[in-house]
Amino acid sequence: QVQLVESGGGLVQPGGSLGLTCAASGTIFKIYTMGWYRQAPGKQRELVAVTVSNSRTTYADSVKGRFTISRDVTKNTVDLQMNSLKPEDPAVYYCNAAASNAAAKIYAYWGQGTQVTVSS
């Protein structure tokens, strides 16, 4: 079983910065991808960023140039650095990982989420 724990959420003013961290723990054979999703009240969960490696990343158009995802493969962590935060960015941010166990079965795992609030 793989567990994902997010941290770093909180309150920030518009234009400010906030960093999120996700740490994977448990019985892990290999983590293929790690990423971040977010869900605001009344909206569907959407992809924010995903990475296989730091050189292979995908960002939502709404966060390109402002958010940066980085993964530490050796530590099984993924960070999301959020700069120039906008009033439309507040949401619960969820960490996601695709990982395989010793039986080579790949599963999708989700963290419980961390709240990001942007004051206006």
Side-chain angles (χ1 to χ4, degrees), residues 37-119:
Y37 290 71
R38 67 184 182 185
Q39 186 170 19
K43 298 182 180 180
Q44 296 182 348
R45 184 177 298 184
E46 63 178 356
L47 172 70
V48 177
V50 64
T51 181
V52 177
S53 65
N54 288 338
S55 61
R56 184 181 176 184
T57 59
T58 301
Y59 294 92
D61 290 339
S62 60
V63 305
K64 287 182 178 179
R66 299 189 298 119
F67 292 8
T68 302
I69 187 172
S70 60
R71 177 186 175 188
D72 190 328
V73 178
T74 62
K75 296 181 179 180
N76 290 329
T77 61
V78 62
D79 298 336
L80 184 68
Q81 179 63 45
M82 303 180 292
N83 299 324
S84 301
L85 283 163
K86 300 179 179 180
E88 58 265 34
D89 291 324
V92 177
Y93 284 70
Y94 296 91
C95 180
N96 170 265
S100 63
N101 56 20
K105 296 292 185 179
I106 301 177
Y107 299 92
Y109 298 91
W110 293 90
Q112 294 185 353
T114 184
Q115 179 70 52
V116 173
T117 302
V118 181
S119 65

Side-chain angles (χ1 to χ4, degrees), residues 9-28:
L11 176 65
V12 64
Q13 296 181 352
S17 299
L18 197 64
L20 305 180
T21 297
C22 174
S25 62
T27 303
I28 303 173

